[in-house]
């Protein structure tokens, strides 16, 4: 009989685990508490197809090759040349067409230490002014209120990836939900049993390995393990739909403080009705920082990059995301120090705050493959009651 593996959580990591386990010959059941699959990779229904915060694929990541090999990426939106000329960088109170030369040079440096802060190390390498601009720029990949305080190695990897001269970001047409839908279809083709609206409050006993692919706080409650904690960012998310206007920026990166605004319809017009633009922004908040503070910062950047936006707004939404923005590593720690994938007794943990390498969603992906590799190596039905 085929080994049975249970996957708890139907987001990107859970679906990756389910597909990988089924391809390895296991019988797989996936439980998703919500009525729809996707987790943080969900895309809202029309008319405004927003992701949960700004999302993009980094094409050099390991998940990119895996998804492409299985035909799961689908059509990609291309950035028109005219839009590529509308990238903007906010510095010293004004907008600039190019990032500082020193930032680009710093992004190419190798050998950043794990044990030092990024600001301390980068200030010695490129000067404090450039180091602070680089730290604020990389907030797009950390969702942290002060990336300069994080491990230099952690931040430098994200700076190198996000500031690549050949941009890594790619955008699936229709948002991330289109990828999730293709992954779900592939899982079903492989025989995965998918149950939505099926919250799991207690781990199944005696039915083979269990892969828990939920947010870390949910996994902590399910496993009853208070040690499942790690650092994460807290950020304001702002979504806007505005009437189209020629000359609006494609994106605005704030180098005076951490924050990012992007007009996603610049590359994919299907995300909003004709004649409208979908804008998504994220502005990290310090501990105790107010939603209103992040909103005010976002609106100041919108004033510069999207003149007259207030009079053009047709839809608006704000939220604060905490503990859902992926792992951040403090000086002296790296991904290996995060909660382990193997929790013992046939239980494995998947997510973007666990001990696996990568940037953003790549951590969920690599942890999913690791969990499946460990799970399929078990003898069938080897798990016992705790």
């Amino acid at each position: 009989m085929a080994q049975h593996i249970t996957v708890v959580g139907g987001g990107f990591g859970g679906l990756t685990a389910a597909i990988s386990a089924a391809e390895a010959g296991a019988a797989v059941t996936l439980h998703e508490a919500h009525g729809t699959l996707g987790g943080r990779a969900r895309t809202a229904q029309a008319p405004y197809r927003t992701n949960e915060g700004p999302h993009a694929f980094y094409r050099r990541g390991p998940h990119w090759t895996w998804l492409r090999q299985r035909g799961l990426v689908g059509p990609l939106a291309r950035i028109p040349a005219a839009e590529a000329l509308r990238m903007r960088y906010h510095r010293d109170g004004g907008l600039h067409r190019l990032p500082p030369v020193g930032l680009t040079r710093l992004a190419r440096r190798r050998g950043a230490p794990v044990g030092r802060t990024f600001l301390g190390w980068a200030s010695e390498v490129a000067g404090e002014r450039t180091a602070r601009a680089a730290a604020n720029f990389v907030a797009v990949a950390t969702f942290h209120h002060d990336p300069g305080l994080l491990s230099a190695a952690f931040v430098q990897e994200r700076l190198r990836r996000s500031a690549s001269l050949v941009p890594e970001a790619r955008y699936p047409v229709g948002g991330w939900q289109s990828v999730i839908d293709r992954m779900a279809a592939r899982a079903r083709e492989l025989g995965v049993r998918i149950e939505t609206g099926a919250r799991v409050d207690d781990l199944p006993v005696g039915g083979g390995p269990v892969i828990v692919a939920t947010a870390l706080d949910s996994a902590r409650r399910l496993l009853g393990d208070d040690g499942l904690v790690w650092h994460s960012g807290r950020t304001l998310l702002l979504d806007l739909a505005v009437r189209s206007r020629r000359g609006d920026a494609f994106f605005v990166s704030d180098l005076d403080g951490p924050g990012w605004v992007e007009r996603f319809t610049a590359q994919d017009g299907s995300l909003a009705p004709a004649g409208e633009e979908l804008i998504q922004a994220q502005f990290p908040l310090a501990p105790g920082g107010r939603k209103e503070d992040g909103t005010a910062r976002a609106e100041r950047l919108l004033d510069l990059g999207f003149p007259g936006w207030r009079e053009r707004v047709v839809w608006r939404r704000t939220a604060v995301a905490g503990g859902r923005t992926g792992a951040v590593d403090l000086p002296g720690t790296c991904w290996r120090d995060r909660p382990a994938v193997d929790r013992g007794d046939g239980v494995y943990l998947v997510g973007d705050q666990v001990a696996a390498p990568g940037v953003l969603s790549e951590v969920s992906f690599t942890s999913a493959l690791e969990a499946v590799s460990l799970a399929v190596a078990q003898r069938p039905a080897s798990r016992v009651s705790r």
Side-chain angles (χ1 to χ4, degrees), residues 111-118 121 149-154 329-334:
V114 170
R116 297 191 61 189
T117 68
F118 175 79
W121 170 77
L149 298 178
L150 304 177
S151 164
F154 174 85
D329 296 341
L330 298 177
T333 65
C334 69

Side-chain angles (χ1 to χ4, degrees), residues 75-318:
L76 296 171
R78 296 187 178 276
I79 303 173
E83 297 292 353
L85 297 175
R86 295 187 179 122
M87 301 176 181
R88 298 291 183 266
Y89 302 87
H90 178 238
R91 195 176 195 193
D92 300 328
L95 291 188
H96 304 269
R97 294 178 180 272
L98 297 172
V101 174
L103 188 155
T104 304
R105 291 174 178 169
L106 178 61
R108 295 198 292 266
R109 290 295 295 257
R110 302 276 182 167
V114 170
R116 297 191 61 189
T117 68
F118 175 79
L119 184 61
W121 170 77
S123 293
E124 292 181 1
V125 171
E128 184 177 351
R129 177 175 164 81
T130 296
R132 288 193 181 278
N136 290 330
F137 175 83
V138 84
V140 70
T142 63
F143 295 84
H144 191 268
H145 71 283
D146 192 352
L149 298 178
L150 304 177
S151 164
F154 174 85
V155 174
Q156 183 65 8
E157 178 187 13
R158 284 145 184 80
L159 176 62
R160 179 174 54 84
R161 299 281 300 276
S162 57
S164 173
L165 293 177
V166 179
E168 286 198 41
R170 295 292 184 270
Y171 304 88
V173 172
W176 271 58
Q177 189 68 49
S178 63
V179 178
I180 292 298
D181 291 345
R182 280 186 284 273
M183 294 179 74
R186 173 61 176 163
R188 290 187 173 99
E189 288 173 0
L190 292 167
V192 175
R193 179 182 175 185
I194 297 178
E195 298 183 357
T196 56
R199 182 177 300 278
V200 175
D201 295 317
D202 298 291
L203 291 181
V205 175
V210 177
I211 295 175
V212 179
T214 67
L216 198 60
D217 57 350
S218 297
R220 182 169 58 249
R221 291 191 296 269
L222 177 62
L223 300 182
D225 186 347
D226 292 338
L228 291 181
V229 293
W230 197 255
H231 311 286
S232 186
R234 177 171 173 263
T235 190
L236 171 86
L237 302 178
L238 171 63
D239 303 328
L240 287 176
V242 301
R243 290 187 293 275
S244 300
R245 171 192 172 276
R246 291 193 60 175
D248 279 347
F250 169 29
F251 71 70
V252 182
S253 173
D254 195 351
L255 304 184
D256 288 345
W260 185 274
V261 179
E262 185 165 346
R263 179 166 54 93
F264 277 77
T265 39
Q267 64 267 2
D268 185 359
S270 71
L271 302 179
E276 297 180 11
E277 305 287 350
L278 177 63
I279 299 169
Q280 294 200 265
Q282 62 100 349
F283 282 77
L285 300 172
R290 301 182 308 156
K291 179 180 179 180
E292 293 77 12
D293 297 334
T295 301
R297 291 171 50 216
E299 290 181 347
R300 285 195 292 271
L301 219 60
L302 286 164
D303 287 338
L304 292 172
F306 305 84
W309 68 272
R310 298 171 193 270
E311 293 74 32
R312 295 188 279 137
V313 171
V314 295
W315 176 79
R316 175 173 178 155
R317 180 177 63 184
T318 58

Side-chain angles (χ1 to χ4, degrees), residues 3 5-8 17 203 208-214 219 222-223 340-351 354 367-368 370-379 382-383 386:
Q3 180 188 38
I5 294 177
T6 300
V7 178
V8 181
L203 291 181
V210 177
I211 295 175
V212 179
T214 67
L222 177 62
L223 300 182
V341 171
D342 189 347
R343 307 311 302 174
D345 197 20
V347 178
Y348 305 94
L349 192 61
V350 168
V354 304
S367 62
E370 174 68 9
V372 171
S373 176
L374 294 169
V376 298
Q378 279 193 226
R379 294 174 62 187
S382 63
R383 223 174 60 79
R386 288 172 175 267

